[in-house]
Amino acid sequence: MFKDIFEQYQWEEVKATIYSKTAADVEQALHKQRRTLDDFAALISPAAAAYLQPMAEISHQRTLQRFGNTMQLYIPMYLSNECQNICTYCGFSLDNKIRRKTLSPAEILQETAVIKEMGYDHVLLVTGEAHQLVGLDYFKKTLQLLRPHFSHISMEVQPMDETDYAALIPLGLHAVLVYQETYHQEDYKKHHPKGRKSSFQYRLETPDRLGRAGIHKMGLGVLIGLEDWRTDSFFTALHLQYLEKKYWQTRYSISFPRLRPFSGGLQPKVEMNDRELVQLICAYRLFNQEVELSMSTRERESFRDHIIRLGITSMSAGSRTNPGGYAADRQSLEQFEISDERSAAAIAAMLKQSGYEPVWKDWDQVLG
């Protein structure tokens, strides 16, 4: 179990190691073909800020070697904003007095029709965490409803038991995204004071349950802004390294959600500027050539246009972050504000102009 490895590390010691890295450490990491976690610590350190250009060049080359001039496109479908958790940073939090909505089968099909019209064959299903109303039975029915329409179905919902995942995979569940939010245990408790999500250990063990269930792909990440992003990213890389060795048949992706405003929302504890986000993306690519790196519509148009050359392999487009936002109920509350509001067609055109091929299906279905 990853928790056994996790417990061997102390947050403050890891943080001190990262911030003590020197220019010599960064240069040594840059000249290696295979990089260790210690090299990754150097590449995300403040000392590496002066080496952004060579990091970007290597990241671009390694991404082209592995993924070519392609960009996978996906779109979220928000099924429900019901949630039994209190989370300080989320618009769906239980203590937010908002109109709650869960899509019916008919409304799900309305959303599907609009998404298919955009060209998508890869959908990410998103909900709040409300096990009674939006639980295993709801997910089973939704997957059975959507499987004829999409070749690739991902989910970003509450962590579940291994048996639940094992029941959903045969119904068409291809990938699960489960973000730890932060690996800082004390701050995790501050941000999740109520609900099942308040269990740090249960969430930490979710990727292990997914791996044992035989999921095809899982997504990792933290919510950038809750804690020191360098230290959180080190623990994410540590988690990724463990999972790749333990569940080697599963594929992996990393996402980079920066804390975005919502109604009455939390201000970031730690700000990450654009150059630092570029540094982190490049550091992941130098550390791991195989991992998929994903960028959502949280980020600005100009940033997304430029980052595609530096390691990103998948991105969302035309997103709505509210249940029914495409057709069924356009006015329901969004989970967070998006920044890049361009249509999927506009993003596809931008990619083509930049010399990239938009891919509407999953990698293995295109390349396999």
Side-chain angles (χ1 to χ4, degrees):
M1 296 282 286
F2 176 66
K3 71 180 182 64
D4 298 327
I5 294 174
F6 177 76
E7 289 170 356
Q8 298 173 22
Y9 290 79
Q10 298 299 317
W11 178 277
E12 292 301 329
E13 291 179 6
V14 170
K15 184 177 181 180
T17 298
I18 295 169
Y19 281 82
S20 68
K21 293 297 184 184
T22 65
D25 295 322
V26 178
E27 290 176 10
Q28 184 179 46
L30 285 173
H31 287 95
K32 289 184 177 180
Q33 287 298 314
R34 296 177 63 86
R35 297 173 180 89
T36 65
L37 268 171
D38 193 56
D39 295 324
F40 181 76
L43 294 170
I44 60 174
S45 72
Y51 295 86
L52 200 55
Q53 186 62 36
M55 286 178 64
E57 290 173 359
I58 298 170
S59 181
H60 174 65
Q61 292 166 3
R62 296 195 71 174
T63 306
L64 281 180
Q65 288 171 1
R66 171 60 181 86
F67 297 95
N69 284 7
T70 59
M71 182 67 63
Q72 183 185 5
L73 296 178
Y74 70 93
I75 194 165
M77 182 194 296
Y78 277 70
L79 300 173
S80 176
N81 61 11
E82 293 279 354
C83 194
Q84 298 303 310
N85 297 316
I86 292 180
C87 301
T88 61
Y89 49 82
C90 182
F92 293 173
S93 184
L94 178 64
D95 56 348
N96 272 1
K97 304 305 179 184
I98 63 171
R99 182 170 65 89
R100 303 289 175 170
K101 180 176 183 61
T102 298
L103 298 187
S104 67
E107 289 173 323
I108 292 173
L109 290 176
Q110 280 183 271
E111 296 291 280
T112 297
V114 175
I115 289 172
K116 293 296 292 184
E117 184 67 25
M118 294 182 194
Y120 281 104
D121 201 29
H122 177 184
V123 67
L124 169 64
L125 307 180
V126 186
T127 70
E129 299 193 12
H131 295 75
Q132 297 298 320
L133 183 62
V134 187
L136 181 61
D137 288 342
Y138 182 86
F139 297 139
K140 282 181 176 179
K141 293 173 183 176
T142 300
L143 287 171
Q144 290 169 337
L145 191 66
L146 293 179
R147 191 174 188 180
H149 302 282
F150 296 100
S151 66
H152 180 107
I153 302 175
S154 305
M155 289 177 61
E156 184 182 339
V157 301
Q158 69 262 20
M160 293 184 282
D161 293 339
E162 180 182 340
T163 53
D164 295 340
Y165 290 128
L168 294 176
I169 291 170
L171 300 179
L173 179 61
H174 190 81
V176 172
L177 282 60
V178 55
Y179 305 139
Q180 188 60 32
E181 313 299 11
T182 178
Y183 287 86
H184 191 295
Q185 291 194 64
E186 288 72 26
D187 272 21
Y188 183 95
K189 293 173 185 176
K190 294 177 186 176
H191 292 297
H192 308 97
K194 182 177 180 180
R196 290 184 65 173
K197 194 171 180 177
S198 63
S199 173
F200 179 88
Q201 289 296 336
Y202 187 75
R203 197 167 190 90
L204 188 71
E205 294 165 5
T206 304
D208 272 295
R209 295 193 299 275
L210 280 165
R212 291 194 301 268
I215 195 69
H216 183 74
K217 185 170 91 174
M218 67 177 86
L220 307 175
V222 294
L223 183 54
I224 297 170
L226 290 185
E227 245 302 334
D228 179 74
W229 65 264
R230 303 177 202 272
T231 312
D232 255 334
S233 298
F234 176 90
F235 279 104
T236 307
L238 176 69
H239 207 163
L240 172 66
Q241 179 175 274
Y242 159 82
L243 291 167
E244 284 191 327
K245 290 180 180 178
K246 180 81 171 180
Y247 309 106
W248 57 269
Q249 290 179 307
T250 297
R251 291 160 47 211
Y252 299 91
S253 68
I254 301 287
S255 297
F256 305 90
R258 288 195 278 189
L259 192 58
R260 293 283 299 164
F262 74 96
S263 55
L266 177 76
Q267 292 300 311
K269 176 180 177 180
V270 179
E271 294 278 0
M272 171 194 254
N273 62 40
D274 288 353
R275 282 183 61 85
E276 290 171 336
L277 181 50
V278 170
Q279 178 185 348
L280 179 59
I281 291 168
C282 293
Y284 269 115
R285 178 58 67 222
L286 269 62
F287 175 63
N288 189 313
Q289 190 168 347
E290 295 296 319
V291 69
E292 298 173 23
L293 302 179
S294 181
M295 181 61 59
S296 77
T297 52
R298 290 173 183 253
E299 300 298 335
R300 294 177 293 107
E301 291 184 18
S302 59
F303 183 83
R304 291 195 351 135
D305 288 357
H306 288 95
I307 199 65
I308 58 175
R309 298 184 181 278
L310 300 181
I312 294 298
T313 58
S314 68
M315 61 196 310
S316 55
S319 303
R320 296 291 179 268
T321 67
N322 52 318
Y326 301 106
D329 188 357
R330 295 179 184 273
Q331 301 306 313
S332 63
L333 181 80
E334 292 189 323
Q335 186 183 27
F336 58 86
E337 295 178 9
I338 65 172
S339 187
D340 187 347
E341 298 185 352
R342 289 174 293 180
S343 68
I347 295 295
M350 178 274 291
L351 289 169
K352 290 176 182 176
Q353 289 172 1
S354 302
Y356 282 74
E357 177 191 353
V359 178
W360 302 91
K361 298 183 179 181
D362 188 35
W363 295 116
D364 61 351
Q365 308 225 7
V366 174
L367 304 175

